[in-house]
Amino acid sequence: DLTALIENTKATIDTLKKELAELNKENADMKTAMKRASEDRESENAEFQQFIAEQRGTQFILNKALDRMKQTYAPKAPVAAVQTDQEPGAAAPPPPGGFKDYSKNKGSGGVLGLLQGLIDESKTMEAESLKAENDSQSAYESFTKDANTSIQKNNELITQKSAEHAQATAALTQANADRGKALSDMEDLLAYKATLHASCDFTLKNFDRIQEARAAEIEALGQAQAI
């Protein structure tokens, strides 16, 4: 029974060692993954901050340029002809100066539209980058939370299995001591058995001779008593 108990306890201890090693490995792997995720998140956030700064700087510059272009190319209302009291047959006055700036507006709509399009595109890229950043941050926080929960559960299992391992080790030590005592007792019993065999075997082997000697002795005692 003690030998079977020792073998079962050894198997239990080996299983617990493997489980503890696996739990510790899982924790180490998760901590490594969390560290890499943190480094990646920092790198992504730095790139995001730089990208946002560039887009907002681009928007600022383009808005300044757009405002300037609007001042230059914005259409101006033509100046109406002024009625003057001139004598019949006098030379016609020169065209109003307002018509001279109208030539600046040719194709200005395309330039202004292009600038506005670039601004809108930059704003769209900024909004998409903000959404991607929020999604990445949420995913990172979720991953970190799940990893910490897993590590906590593994630590609880490690504590539990470490206690079981200590109990099994103590039981194995006690079982080995008990088995050693049992073996010592068995050796003493075997020695006593050998002594009994030596005595009994002699008696059994010489039983007939002993009986004859006893019978002769009884007969001699009977004769002596009769005399």
Side-chain angles (χ1 to χ4, degrees), residues 11 15-16 22 60 65 73-74 91 95 99 130 135 166 177-178 180 183 194 211:
T15 300
L16 288 170
E22 184 64 26
F60 177 80
Y73 289 104
F99 287 103
L130 284 169
D135 292 343
D178 292 343
L183 288 172
Q211 287 288 86

Side-chain angles (χ1 to χ4, degrees), residues 122-163:
S122 178
K123 288 181 178 179
T124 300
M125 294 172 64
E126 179 184 350
E128 291 176 350
S129 180
L130 284 169
K131 184 179 182 303
E133 170 67 13
N134 290 333
D135 292 343
S136 296
Q137 182 65 25
S138 297
Y140 169 73
E141 291 175 356
S142 178
F143 169 75
T144 302
K145 181 179 179 182
D146 292 342
N148 283 326
T149 300
S150 297
I151 290 175
Q152 182 179 356
K153 290 181 179 179
N154 283 353
N155 286 336
E156 293 173 357
L157 288 174
I158 288 172
T159 301
Q160 174 187 338
K161 292 184 181 296
S162 295

Side-chain angles (χ1 to χ4, degrees), residues 1 5 16 19 53 69 121 132:
D1 290 342
L5 175 61
L16 288 170
E19 292 175 347
M69 295 291 286
E121 181 180 356

Side-chain angles (χ1 to χ4, degrees), residues 7 39 63 72 76 82 101 111 146 169 172 194 196 198:
E7 294 302 319
E39 293 172 351
N63 277 314
T72 304
K76 297 180 181 179
V82 181
D101 294 332
V111 175
D146 292 342
T169 302
L172 178 61
L196 289 176

Side-chain angles (χ1 to χ4, degrees), residues 80-96:
V82 181
Q83 292 290 338
T84 57
D85 295 333
Q86 294 180 342
E87 296 181 358

Side-chain angles (χ1 to χ4, degrees), residues 43-57:
S43 176
E44 289 174 357
N45 183 259
E47 292 178 0
F48 162 77
Q49 297 292 346
Q50 181 179 356
F51 180 79
I52 291 298
E54 290 174 353
Q55 293 306 312
R56 290 179 178 174

